[in-house]
Amino acid sequence: MNEQRISQAEIDALTAGLESGSEPAANTGLGTNDLPLLRDPLGGFISRAVPALTEVTGAPSEGGVADVTLTTLKEVTGLGAARVLVGRAELSGGLKGPMYYVIPLPLGKMLIRQLGESAAELADEALGKLAVALTKMNKAGLKPLSEYLGAEIIAEAVAVRESGSLAEAVENPPETPVMVAGVDMAAGDAMGRILLVLPVEVANPLGPVVRAKAPRGAALAASSAPMVPVVPTGAGPTSAASPAQPPASPAPPAQPPAAAASVLPTADSVVQPVKFPSIAPEAPAQQPRNMELLMDVRLKVTVEIGRTRRHIRDVLSLGPGYVLELDRLANEQVDVLVNGKLVAKAEVVVVDENYGARITEVISPGDRVQAMRP
C-alpha cells in the first residue's frame, strides 16, 4: 500500500495562516468594480478644473464625467477625430507617474482660438497657450482629488503635442492598461469630449480609498446612474453632482420587526396591503401633448464648414481671389447648428444643383438640451 506522506514543514506552511489568525491580503489595486465609485472623486476634479478654464478663456464653461473605463493605450478611441492633441503631466506624491489629456483636434483648435491664438498651423506658441490652460486646470482639479485621497498630488506643467493617437504620443507600450474618464465639456462655443487617462499602475492608490469611502451598495447605484454635468461652484468634491454616493437606502425587509413579530393578528385586527408609491415616470406621459404645441415653430438651421480669425488689416485687404483658410480639414465633418446651437455632424453632398448635408452623427438629446441653455 503506497502512502503519500507530507512533511512537518509543509504542514506548518499550510496552517501558518490559521494559527496566526491572518487573512488573505486585500486587493490594493484598482478593479473593474471600482469604476462607478470613481465618478465621485473625478467629479470633484472637474468641478474645480472647469472654473479654472473659464478664468483663462473668459468664456462660460461646464463639464461632467460621462463614463470611466479600463482599457489599453491602443484602445483609447471614440473621439471621432483623425488626430488629437495630447497633454502630458508628470505626477508625484499621492499618485506617481504620467497623466494625459486627450483632446480631439477640432475641439483643441477651438480652445486655442478662445485663448487668442491662431490654430491654423498649430504653432509652438499656440500649443504653449493651450498647455498653460491645461496646467491651470490640472492644478485646480488635483486639489480636491488630493483631499479625497488623503495625500497631496503634485503635478508638473502640462506639455502638449499633436499626434495621431495617444499610443503614438507616449513612450509606454500600446498594451499598457489605463483608466480612462470621458468628460463632456463646453467652453463658450467649443463643445466636445476630452479624455483623462491614467495608467492603471498610477491610478491604483485610488482603489482602496474609493472602496473605503463608498457606502454599501454604492457601486450598483453608480453604475446605473446617468451622467450629470458638473456646474462649476468652487466647492470641494463633496458638492460635485456625482451619483457615486447616493443616500443610504434601508435594508430590504427580510424579516418583520421583533415587536411586530410577537403580536399575532386578532379577529378585530384590520389587515391592509402595503401601498408603495408609484415609480413609473409621469413626466414623459405629458411630453407628446406638450410637444405638439411646438411642432410648427420655425428654427434657423445652419451648416458651418469652418471658422477663422483675422486681424483688421487682413479683413480690409480682402479682395477677389483671396483665399481664407478655415480651421477644418477637407475630409472632416461639418457642424449642423439649430439657432446657433450644435445638434449634429454631417458631410457635404450635392443634391441636383444644390448643396446638401447628410447627417452622420446626432448629438444626444441630453447634450442638445444642455447646448441650448442660454
Side-chain angles (χ1 to χ4, degrees):
M1 181 176 179
N2 295 329
E3 294 183 358
Q4 292 183 349
R5 297 180 179 274
I6 185 169
S7 67
Q8 185 61 42
E10 292 173 324
I11 294 175
D12 293 341
L14 291 172
T15 60
L18 295 177
E19 292 176 354
S20 63
S22 62
E23 297 180 355
N27 179 15
T28 58
L30 188 68
T32 304
N33 293 336
D34 302 325
L35 298 182
L37 307 178
L38 286 170
R39 294 171 66 99
D40 182 36
L42 292 177
F45 180 98
I46 297 301
S47 70
R48 292 286 185 89
V50 167
L53 179 62
T54 301
E55 293 178 8
V56 177
T57 64
S61 307
E62 59 183 357
V65 179
D67 51 47
V68 185
T69 58
L70 288 178
T71 181
T72 63
L73 281 176
K74 183 179 180 181
E75 299 300 325
V76 178
T77 57
L79 290 176
R83 300 188 65 79
V84 294
L85 297 179
V86 178
R88 182 188 188 279
E90 188 71 20
L91 304 181
S92 58
L95 300 179
K96 298 180 177 64
M99 73 171 296
Y100 304 97
Y101 289 85
V102 186
I103 307 174
L105 188 58
L107 176 60
K109 287 184 174 182
M110 296 179 76
L111 292 174
I112 289 174
R113 288 197 302 272
Q114 289 185 3
L115 294 170
E117 293 291 331
S118 172
E121 299 180 359
L122 292 178
D124 291 342
E125 185 176 357
L127 294 179
K129 281 285 188 71
L130 181 59
V132 170
L134 292 178
T135 298
K136 189 167 186 177
M137 285 179 58
N138 206 35
K139 290 186 176 181
L142 288 176
K143 289 181 180 179
L145 192 60
S146 298
E147 296 172 2
Y148 186 93
L149 187 61
E152 184 181 8
I153 305 171
I154 303 172
E156 296 181 358
V158 177
V160 179
R161 59 172 293 186
E162 182 186 359
S163 179
S165 67
L166 177 61
E168 177 185 314
V170 303
E171 64 277 7
N172 296 43
E175 295 76 18
T176 302
V178 292
M179 181 206 76
V180 181
V183 178
D184 290 333
M185 63 170 296
D189 59 352
M191 297 178 57
R193 173 172 294 190
I194 67 174
L195 301 181
L196 300 180
V197 181
L198 284 172
V200 170
E201 62 179 10
V202 178
N204 272 337
L206 292 171
V209 178
V210 296
R211 289 193 294 271
K213 293 191 175 185
R216 186 177 181 181
L220 180 60
S223 63
S224 60
M227 191 278 284
V228 180
V230 179
V231 178
T233 60
T238 55
S239 66
S242 172
Q245 295 188 357
S249 57
Q255 296 180 351
S262 64
V263 180
L264 298 177
T266 64
D268 297 332
S269 300
V270 179
V271 181
Q272 297 180 349
V274 178
K275 296 182 178 180
F276 295 98
S278 174
I279 61 173
E282 298 179 358
Q286 302 295 329
Q287 184 174 354
R289 185 180 64 184
N290 294 338
M291 288 297 293
E292 287 294 332
L293 301 176
L294 304 175
M295 291 302 180
D296 292 332
V297 175
R298 299 177 65 87
L299 302 176
K300 181 181 179 181
V301 180
T302 305
V303 177
E304 183 179 281
I305 64 171
R307 297 185 181 187
T308 187
R309 283 176 176 267
R310 288 293 183 268
H311 297 290
I312 293 178
R313 60 177 175 271
D314 297 328
V315 175
L316 294 177
S317 65
L318 290 178
Y322 189 94
V323 177
L324 280 175
E325 182 180 354
L326 304 180
D327 63 348
R328 199 180 299 267
L329 300 176
N331 59 347
E332 284 190 53
Q333 297 175 332
V334 297
D335 296 335
V336 179
L337 310 175
V338 176
N339 281 9
K341 304 296 183 180
L342 178 66
V343 298
K345 298 284 188 178
E347 59 182 12
V348 178
V349 297
V350 176
V351 181
D352 295 332
E353 297 181 354
N354 299 325
Y355 282 115
R358 179 186 291 116
I359 302 297
T360 57
E361 178 185 349
V362 179
I363 308 300
S364 66
D367 292 342
R368 271 180 276 171
V369 172
Q370 190 70 21
M372 291 182 182
R373 291 177 54 186

